[in-house]
Each structure stands twice: as structure tokens, then as C-alpha cells.
């Protein structure tokens, strides 16, 4: 079965609905690529790709730190700001990032994130299996896209 | 190479090199000056003086379906862990070497660290282009000597000045071209890189 945007969006939307203070959820992979994102309000002007890249990098760097200190697996990174909080949790091959208001039920957020992370990890595994990172077996359409990009670059 | 949910193909490019060699300046120059690429926001994790603490990042679209996610790394020695994280999933590297004679050891150390992270993939499945930066300095090191000391005699290279943008666009275009060629013609690229 082919993975669709909707499958990711449904899980991310469930996270948003679970707690009133959640403003945005972003799923990124561990290379910093934003895979999906859902906002509570349709207009939420942030650079999602940039936020996603930072979330992934911060989580992965914290994991590295944990390995160096031999303190076990990392579950959640919490960043507390004057006017809000950012949570990041590992979701298999991805990182789930949740942006909230200042006053939120942290216990509930943690619980919701852990549940969603497990679901996302499964869907991500299927998604990444469908879209392998290596070049072998490219479709004609993909080759055409790459040729078009090459043509654009050689114009400049 | 990765595909996102919208079907866009993403390639990751990382500017690598020692501290203050010109990685962020080069990326900034491309961001501000190169036309024909549809650029997203410029994200920078830096200190108050502008020195990179973690990375800079900007997505650049060559076509509607092909995106280059371009990063720099923090060059200072203590940021080794962060550099390793940023290198995950990389498709192409622009190694920015500092041509000041007193920075040659730092260049060598940075290259050795890069090799330790990516091993035999460098120059094969991971494209590599070398920017010999700050060649405008009056005491800039000789290009051939630098490449020999870095063990990069066969790598595509450009003498650059990131401040003025001299050859910066050419370096970037070379790495993007090499990445696309590798993915279009992987066998031919493998033969070329080993010959």
C-alpha cells in the first residue's frame, strides 16, 4: 500500500487535538528533511523547513551527547521559552516536533507524543521502504526530473 | 537522495571545512547572488558575532521537483558532534579550505575528520568539490601544494574568494552537477571517479 500525506497528517492532527495548547506539529527525518506538518490554525507563519532542520539536528545532537555520556536512549527533548515550549521525540527514522503555548499539560504532551511517535515510526518505515534513498531503479519520470534540473543548472 | 511526500527529489549538500574558512560567507553569497534557483528561508544557528554554532541551512530549488538542501557546519574543533549529525544523508560536499599558510594544519585536520565520517563514499556516492578559499590574500598558499597536502589532487577544485563570490557559483554548480550526474549515470560516474 502506498503511503500518502493523509496518513502522516492524520497522526499529526490527532496530536494537535489531544491538548489545547499545541500550535504546530512537524515530522522530520534524521537528515533534516521535513516530511509532514500540521498547524492548529491554517495561518501560522513559520519557516517550516528551517524549524524542521533545527528540530532534527538538535534531537540527533542530543542523542550523540547521550551516547557519549552513556545515559541510555533519548526519549524527549524539551525546550522551554518565555512564551512557549518545543518538544522533540524520536519516531523511528524520524523526529516528531511539537510546538506549544507556554502553559500546557506536559505530562499529557509527553504521553501523546510517545504514542504518536510509535505510530509514525511504523508509517515512516513503510514510506522509506517505498522511496529508497539509493539511486538504483529510478523511474523514467525521476530521470526526466533530474535531466531537467541539470538543464536548469547548466543555463546559469 | 530522498523523495518527500509531494514527490520532490531532495539532495543534501554540506559546506565543510575548518573554522573561519568561509563556509557561511560562501553560502550567503550564493543565497544573495545566484539567480535561477528558487530559495527558501535562510536558517542560521550562530553566536552573537555570527560564528556558526551548529549549522546554516537553506533549501534551493533547481526545478519544481528537484530541491538542494544546503547546509554549512560549525568549523570549530569542539563542534565535532554537531558536524557528524549534519553530515547524515549527505549527497555532496564542498570542502572550503583556507589558503592562509597558518591554517593549513586546520585544513588537514578538517579533511581527516571528514574522511573518518564518510570513508570510501567520498568522491564516489558522495560528490566532492574543493574551494581553495581566500586565494586573494597576498600570502595565499600555492594551489598545487594545498591540494597535495590535503590528498585531493584529483578532486574538482576552484580558487575562490567567498567575500567577492569569485568562483563560488562555479563550485556550487559543479557539486550540483556531479550529484545529478551520479544519480543519472551511476555506473559511468563510478568509473570516472576511480580512473
Amino acid at each position: 500500500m502506498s503511503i500518502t500525506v493523509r496518513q502522516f497528517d492524520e497522526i499529526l492532527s490527532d496530536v494537535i487535538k489531544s491538548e489545547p495548547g499545541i500550535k504546530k506539529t512537524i515530522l522530520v527525518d534524521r537528515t533534516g528533511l521535513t516530511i509532514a506538518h500540521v498547524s492548529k490554525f491554517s495561518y501560522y507563519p513559520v519557516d517550516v523547513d528551517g524549524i524542521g532542520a533545527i528540530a532534527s539536528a538538535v534531537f540527533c545532537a542530543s542523542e550523540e551527547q547521550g551516547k557519549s555520556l552513556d545515559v541510555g536512549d533519548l526519549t524527549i527533548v524539551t525546550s522551554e521559552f518565555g512564551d512557549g515550549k518545543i518538544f522533540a521525540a524520536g519516531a523511528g527514522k524520524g523526529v516528531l516536533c511539537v510546538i506549544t503555548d507556554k502553559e500546557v499539560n506536559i505530562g499529557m504532551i509527553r504521553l501523546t507524543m510517545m504514542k504518536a511517535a510509535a505510530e509514525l515510526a511504523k508509517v515512516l518505515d513503510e514510506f522509506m521502504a517505498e522511496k529508497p534513498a539509493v539511486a538504483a531503479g529510478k523511474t523514467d519520470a525521476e530521470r526526466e526530473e533530474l535531466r531537467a534540473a541539470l538543464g536548469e543548472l547548466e543555463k546559469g | 537522495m530522498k523523495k518527500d511526500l509531494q514527490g520532490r527529489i531532495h539532495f543534501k549538500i554540506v559546506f565543510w571545512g575548518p573554522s573561519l574558512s568561509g563556509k557561511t560567507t560562501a553560502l550567503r553569497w550564493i543565497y544573495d547572488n545566484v539567480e535561477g534557483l528558487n530559495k527558501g528561508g535562510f536558517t542560521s544557528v550562530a553566536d552573537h558575532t555570527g560564528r556558526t554554532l551548529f549549522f546554516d541551512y537553506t533549501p534551493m530549488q533547481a526545478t519544481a521537483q528537484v530541491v538542494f538542501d544546503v547546509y554549512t557546519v560549525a568549523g570549530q574543533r569542539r563542534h565535532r558532534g554537531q558536524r557528524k549529525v549534519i553530515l547524515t544523508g549527505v549527497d555532496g560536499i564542498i570542502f572550503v579550505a583556507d589558503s592562509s599558510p597558518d591554517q593549513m594544519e586546520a585544513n588537514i585536520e578538517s579533511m581527516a575528520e571528514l574522511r573518518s565520517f564518510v570513508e570510501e563514499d567520498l568522491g564516489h556516492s558522495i560528490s566532492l568539490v574543493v574551494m581553495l578559499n581566500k586565494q586573494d590574500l597576498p600570502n595565499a598558499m600555492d594551489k598545487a601544494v594545498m591540494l597535495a597536502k590535503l590528498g585531493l589532487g584529483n578532486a574538482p577544485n576552484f580558487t575562490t574568494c567567498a567575500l567577492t563570490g569569485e568562483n563560488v557559483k562555479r563550485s556550487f554548480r559543479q557539486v550540483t552537477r556531479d550529484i545529478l550526474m551520479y544519480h543519472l549515470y551511476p555506473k559511468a560516474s563510478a568509473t570516472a571517479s576511480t580512473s
Side-chain angles (χ1 to χ4, degrees):
Chain A
M1 190 185 77
S2 184
I3 304 294
T4 63
V5 182
R6 234 178 91 188
Q7 283 172 274
F8 288 109
D9 284 357
E10 276 173 11
I11 301 172
L12 296 181
S13 296
D14 285 345
V15 174
I16 286 205
K17 288 177 205 155
S18 69
E19 166 67 34
I22 299 178
K23 295 197 286 192
K24 189 160 189 75
T25 54
I26 306 172
L27 177 67
V28 285
D29 78 2
R30 289 179 182 244
T31 72
L33 177 66
T34 297
I35 295 164
H37 60 96
V38 172
S39 300
K40 183 181 218 170
F41 302 111
S42 53
Y43 181 68
Y44 187 64
V46 290
D47 173 11
V48 176
D49 291 334
I51 299 288
I54 293 176
S56 170
V58 167
F59 187 85
C60 294
S62 299
E63 269 189 334
E64 281 291 312
Q65 198 176 35
K67 275 183 208 160
S68 304
L69 294 166
D70 196 20
V71 290
D73 293 336
L74 178 63
T75 48
I76 288 187
V77 173
T78 307
S79 308
E80 300 195 12
F81 301 87
D83 294 321
K85 294 182 172 63
I86 301 174
F87 301 85
K93 290 172 182 160
V95 176
L96 168 63
C97 176
V98 171
I99 300 156
T100 75
D101 292 331
K102 185 182 174 186
E103 302 298 335
V104 283
N105 183 337
I106 293 176
M108 182 57 79
I109 300 255
R110 286 175 61 91
L111 202 65
T112 306
M113 284 184 76
M114 298 312 287
K115 183 173 166 273
E119 289 175 43
L120 288 167
K122 273 190 210 164
V123 185
L124 258 179
D125 274 344
E126 287 177 46
F127 173 64
M128 288 185 172
E130 280 179 11
K131 303 197 185 307
V134 184
K138 280 197 182 57
T139 65
D140 287 345
E142 285 168 346
R143 287 182 175 280
E144 209 42 59
E145 290 298 342
L146 297 183
R147 280 196 197 98
L150 198 56
E152 280 302 314
L153 290 165
E154 290 185 345
K155 271 186 205 167
Chain B
M1 176 193 155
K2 295 215 161 164
K3 285 188 88 171
D4 65 19
L5 279 164
Q6 287 75 42
R8 292 179 305 180
I9 300 168
H10 288 255
F11 295 106
K12 186 172 185 177
I13 296 173
V14 174
F15 280 80
W16 188 277
S19 183
L20 296 174
S21 61
K23 301 175 290 297
T24 298
T25 308
L27 180 57
R28 247 305 164 197
W29 190 90
I30 292 167
Y31 187 81
D32 291 338
N33 295 283
V34 175
E35 292 173 2
L37 291 166
N38 190 7
K39 297 157 208 156
F42 193 100
T43 302
S44 191
V45 185
D47 69 12
H48 67 283
T49 66
R51 287 186 78 170
T52 306
L53 284 176
F54 203 154
F55 63 87
D56 306 297
Y57 161 71
T58 184
M60 297 184 178
Q61 261 182 289
T63 63
Q65 291 299 313
V66 176
V67 184
F68 295 103
D69 293 306
V70 193
Y71 288 77
T72 67
V73 291
Q76 293 174 79
R77 196 172 283 127
R78 65 178 178 273
H79 296 308
R80 177 186 163 92
Q82 289 99 309
R83 283 192 288 277
K84 190 178 173 191
V85 167
I86 298 303
L87 213 51
T88 309
V90 70
D91 294 290
I93 290 168
I94 299 178
F95 183 79
V96 185
D98 191 323
S99 299
S100 319
D102 60 357
Q103 290 303 304
M104 197 58 224
E105 279 309 311
N107 291 329
I108 293 169
E109 200 177 302
S110 177
M111 194 65 218
E113 185 186 83
L114 175 61
R115 284 195 173 106
S116 75
F117 287 151
V118 295
E119 298 175 348
E120 68 271 17
D121 292 335
L122 192 63
H124 295 91
S125 58
I126 299 174
S127 301
L128 173 70
V129 168
V130 183
M131 278 176 54
L132 299 163
N133 198 34
K134 306 188 189 177
Q135 280 284 315
D136 54 316
L137 291 175
N139 64 339
M141 284 188 72
D142 179 72
K143 173 182 168 177
V145 173
M146 285 183 77
L147 290 170
K149 281 180 183 273
L150 291 165
L152 292 171
N154 295 325
N157 60 80
F158 297 90
T159 54
T160 61
C161 174
L163 275 175
T164 62
E166 186 186 341
N167 283 335
V168 171
K169 183 180 171 184
R170 287 180 68 193
S171 308
F172 185 73
R173 195 163 60 178
Q174 179 77 48
V175 81
T176 52
R177 185 183 178 281
D178 288 354
I179 291 169
L180 292 171
M181 290 297 280
Y182 174 78
H183 285 274
L184 273 168
Y185 312 106
K187 285 182 185 166
S189 301
T191 310
S193 63
T194 52
S195 61

